Amino acid sequence: MSAALEDLYQQLIIDHSRRPRNFRALEAPDRRLEGFNPLCGDQVTVYVKLEGDRIREAAFQGSGCAISTASASLMTESVRGKSLEEVERLFQAFHALVTGKGAGREVELGKLAAFEGVASYPARVKCATLPWHALRAALAGSGQSVTTE
Ligand code: ZN
């Protein structure tokens, strides 16, 4: 990746960590689930409204580091309107990207590609994936909370 593009991606993460989008509780959510990353102290609650098998709206609240906040912000933007199957494919591609396995090019990551640099910092992978683990557990309807440990 060129230096300019790398800088742009970092700007995107900084912007979303400072002004997170969809940072609110949804009223009467179909799904709500809390996630914790004890390694870093990140905490996120994910709210989802469904329409059939599609995500109508996703939002989050919580406190955490810049990476986890930006990841939750960009995730809630990215999954809006997507089917549960599409969300799962997006997660798999995102997970591959941040763990340095290379995102499957068959999935369009869009802005989520900004997290490519996380692969160089293994300790931050859980920060980036925490909101996704919470979202997946919420969609699976499994329990009230999830932890990365
Ligand atoms: Zn973190």
Side-chain angles (χ1 to χ4, degrees):
M1 200 185 300
S2 75
L5 204 56
E6 217 165 274
D7 188 52
L8 177 77
Y9 279 178
Q10 281 174 12
Q11 287 302 321
L12 192 68
I13 290 175
I14 290 164
D15 178 45
H16 276 260
S17 69
R18 288 185 181 157
R19 297 186 305 119
R21 320 302 198 269
N22 305 307
F23 188 79
R24 64 183 187 278
L26 293 182
E27 259 180 64
D30 293 302
R31 302 288 164 82
R32 173 190 182 280
L33 197 130
E34 279 183 81
F36 301 97
N37 173 18
L39 216 61
C40 178
D42 306 314
Q43 182 268 324
V44 63
T45 302
V46 171
Y47 302 86
V48 180
K49 281 199 178 190
L50 297 170
E51 199 164 60
D53 79 332
R54 280 184 187 276
I55 292 184
R56 186 155 67 105
E57 205 174 357
F60 78 104
Q61 283 187 315
S63 60
C65 66
I67 295 286
S68 70
T69 302
S71 179
S73 175
L74 281 156
M75 177 189 78
T76 53
E77 276 195 339
S78 301
V79 300
R80 191 188 183 107
K82 288 205 162 53
S83 73
L84 303 191
E85 199 188 318
E86 288 168 336
V87 169
E88 180 61 23
R89 280 208 300 270
L90 200 57
F91 166 75
Q92 296 297 344
F94 179 73
H95 192 265
L97 180 82
V98 298
T99 52
K101 297 185 181 83
R105 293 298 170 214
E106 67 275 12
V107 175
E108 187 54 62
L109 276 169
K111 288 180 180 175
L112 295 175
F115 291 90
E116 186 169 23
V118 170
S120 307
Y121 303 92
R124 311 314 297 275
V125 169
K126 285 174 179 170
C127 303
T129 56
L130 172 68
W132 288 91
H133 287 306
L135 176 69
R136 292 172 82 225
L139 295 176
S142 56
Q144 295 297 304
S145 67
V146 68
T147 173
T148 56
E149 294 304 303

